[in-house]
Amino acid sequence: MARGTRSSSDVEYSAVGGEGLGMREFCLYVWLRRAAVLAAHIISLGLVILTSILSRPGTSLFSWHPVCMSLGFCLCMTEGILLFSAEGSPFCFKSRKWKVRLHWFFQALLLVCGATGFGFMVASKNIKEHPHFTSWHSLLGVTTMAATVLQVICGVFLLFPKLISTRSFPRLRLYHATCGLVAYLLATVTVMSAMFTDWFQASVTGTVWYIFLLLPLFPALVVMNQITSAFLPKKKITS
């Protein structure tokens, strides 16, 4: 072969989606992704269960706030994204049309849970005559709620593409995914900040507290990997 030319075998692709890997490495890559997605499902559900046990819903108005918020942002938000994953999603057998419908169901449930949890928190503070939005957790929570509402508005335009121009649709999908990732990461930081509140630290201490603090990070990493793998361009790497 003449110098300066390249054969097709000299060009490799980045491993963002598993390209450029040998058969053994690719199989390991797929199984690791499936295990990670499965773990994300379990952790998200586990956070809701553990939060419900700690808050003992019904004992006070505020006790419903952690339950509603964990159900909405730890479970519904996570499942609404992971259902598009091909690895380990319980909805992998559904068509994309059904996945979009399920995505909307989870996001609608997220808004209901978020609004309900927000209402319980406001009512509890009003009864106790405590000031509102004086902590980092509350400020992050309001920011996360606002980002989530904006995401839903963006999703409405994707659900009804006749509302926008045809040229804008692919770009809007990218914006929706990118801003969705930002909203999810905001929700993760908000959940973690809740573990620094007096209520949580009065219930959980020591090593268990650090475990709780790290748990929300794993689903966030899985979601971030899924979104970036689906929407980031796969660049060629030349040898």
Side-chain angles (χ1 to χ4, degrees):
M1 183 178 299
R3 183 175 299 177
T5 61
R6 295 180 184 272
S7 66
S8 59
S9 60
D10 291 331
V11 180
E12 297 178 352
Y13 290 86
S14 65
V16 173
E19 294 88 347
L21 299 177
M23 181 59 68
R24 182 179 300 177
E25 291 82 1
F26 180 77
C27 290
L28 178 61
Y29 170 82
V30 171
W31 279 107
L32 286 175
R33 287 192 61 164
R34 288 179 178 175
V37 172
L38 179 61
H41 288 300
I42 295 173
I43 291 173
S44 299
L45 179 61
L47 282 171
V48 176
I49 295 173
L50 292 173
T51 302
S52 300
I53 293 173
L54 290 174
S55 62
R56 294 179 298 171
T59 56
S60 66
L61 275 178
F62 178 80
S63 66
W64 289 103
H65 172 72
V67 176
C68 293
M69 291 307 195
S70 62
L71 180 61
F73 288 95
C74 292
L75 186 62
C76 293
M77 198 176 199
T78 303
E79 294 300 323
I81 297 174
L82 291 184
L83 65 86
F84 290 106
S85 173
E87 298 94 359
S89 172
F91 306 104
C92 59
F93 57 91
K94 297 292 184 181
S95 65
R96 180 167 181 83
K97 182 179 180 180
W98 272 100
K99 288 182 179 180
V100 171
R101 290 177 178 177
L102 287 169
H103 176 74
W104 265 100
F105 170 77
F106 280 122
Q107 299 311 303
L109 191 57
L110 161 63
L111 286 181
V112 172
C113 291
T116 304
F118 183 81
F120 277 119
M121 183 270 294
V122 171
S124 176
K125 288 203 170 189
N126 285 340
I127 291 175
K128 296 179 180 179
E129 297 183 349
H130 289 171
H132 297 286
F133 313 120
T134 57
S135 65
W136 281 108
H137 173 65
S138 60
L139 294 175
L140 284 168
V142 171
T143 304
T144 302
M145 285 291 295
T148 304
V149 171
L150 290 175
Q151 272 299 96
V152 171
I153 294 173
C154 182
V156 169
F157 287 102
L158 288 175
L159 188 64
F160 302 101
K162 292 182 179 180
L163 298 175
I164 58 175
S165 64
T166 307
R167 292 182 179 180
S168 302
F169 190 80
R171 184 175 298 177
L172 187 60
R173 285 189 69 236
L174 177 60
Y175 289 162
H176 183 60
T178 304
C179 295
L181 177 58
V182 173
Y184 190 91
L185 294 178
L186 275 172
T188 301
V189 174
T190 304
V191 170
M192 294 177 69
S193 69
M195 299 171 192
F196 291 91
T197 60
D198 294 336
W199 168 80
F200 191 86
Q201 291 188 338
S203 304
V204 181
T205 58
T207 306
V208 178
W209 183 86
Y210 288 97
I211 295 174
F212 262 98
L213 183 65
L214 295 176
L215 279 177
L217 289 175
F218 189 83
L221 290 173
V222 174
V223 167
M224 184 168 59
N225 178 72
Q226 176 182 319
I227 294 177
T228 54
S229 297
F231 286 92
L232 283 183
K234 299 173 177 59
K235 298 179 179 179
K236 295 183 179 182
I237 302 175
T238 56
S239 58

